Amino acid sequence: MKKINVAIDGPAGAGKSSIAKLTASELGYIYVDTGALYRTIALYMLENHIENENDIVAALGQCKVSLRYADGQQRVFLADRDVSEDIRKPEVSMAASKVSAIPQVRSHLLSLQKEMAEENNVIMDGRDIGTVVLPNADVKIFLTASPQERANRRYKELSLKENCPTYEQILNDIIERDKNDMNRSVAPLKQADDAVLVDTTSLDLQQSAAKIREIIASKIGGTR
Ligand code: DC
């Protein structure tokens, strides 16, 4: 039977992953966080001090990225190493934004994403899911929020940890990443023509998730 594919795109910090995770678990779908794939490649390049584009492309063959699921939670692997935590460091975020602009990096990850969606009912989040990876997705959502609100949320999340950057640093990072992600020539961050726009600036997680559920139900006729 054809699988149901829900694509959620949008800028960093719009709430994609929290909302997608919650909704996927409610619907019994698999949540695929595609940013984790780009982050894993970025981590490999950072750890091996590979910086220039030609070297990055040449090293892609050694970069074996895979996804596994334990209790419905996505874990991302670099060969046999679980890197799910290591890829969350702030330096990896910026590096991921940079490596993701390289066309060969994107094509290296494309078949993995398409296979996940062919074999499972998925909610997949990223930047180009509705435009490039799953152009025929059953539901497409473009999730956004103001840069200030996104920085606020990230600050609240990071302030619980050690070495928290300042709000201004986080806001600047968000603005720079948006710029990189929207202006690259391959698969830039943009709303697909047939995506529904949801602005979460004044919505909390529950309200945002309710909105997403409503959109999914209206497109696929309830929770199949
Ligand atoms: O969603 P995230 O913040 O974990 O993504 C990290 C970076 O990866 C992001 O700045 C851009 C890139 N990315 C992408 O280019 N395409 C995707 N589908 C997902 C992420």
Side-chain angles (χ1 to χ4, degrees), residues 38-177:
Y38 292 92
R39 287 170 178 271
T40 302
I41 292 194
L43 179 72
Y44 178 88
M45 302 301 164
L46 280 176
E47 288 183 343
N48 291 285
H49 311 288
I50 302 171
E51 282 170 19
N52 85 53
E53 184 164 335
N54 289 340
D55 295 342
I56 290 175
V57 171
L60 281 175
Q62 287 123 57
C63 222
K64 307 268 183 250
V65 185
S66 61
L67 294 177
R68 298 181 201 170
Y69 285 81
D71 300 327
Q73 300 293 313
Q74 172 180 294
R75 307 296 298 179
V76 59
F77 282 74
L78 180 56
D80 289 329
R81 171 180 158 209
D82 184 342
V83 293
S84 311
E85 271 81 39
D86 291 345
I87 59 168
R88 296 294 153 200
K89 296 177 192 149
E91 66 270 24
V92 180
S93 307
M94 197 56 79
S97 179
K98 293 202 172 117
V99 297
S100 70
I102 303 173
Q104 291 90 335
V105 168
R106 307 201 69 82
S107 49
H108 184 72
L109 296 173
L110 196 58
S111 53
L112 170 60
Q113 296 172 79
K114 283 182 178 288
E115 274 163 28
M116 292 298 298
E118 249 161 55
E119 291 165 11
N120 306 283
N121 293 329
V122 293
I123 297 191
M124 188 175 283
D125 83 14
R127 303 293 187 287
D128 62 337
I129 309 305
T131 51
V132 176
V133 179
L134 306 176
N136 299 317
D138 305 271
V139 185
K140 295 184 188 178
I141 292 163
F142 194 83
L143 206 67
T144 188
S146 71
Q148 290 73 15
E149 175 59 21
R150 290 187 278 132
N152 235 334
R153 291 175 189 169
R154 194 55 42 105
Y155 180 70
K156 274 194 203 143
E157 197 183 303
L158 291 179
S159 63
L160 305 171
K161 300 183 181 157
E162 270 175 54
N163 302 324
C164 175
T166 64
Y167 169 81
E168 284 71 27
Q169 279 166 333
I170 295 175
L171 179 61
N172 286 339
D173 267 20
I174 280 187
I175 291 171
E176 193 182 338
R177 267 217 290 157

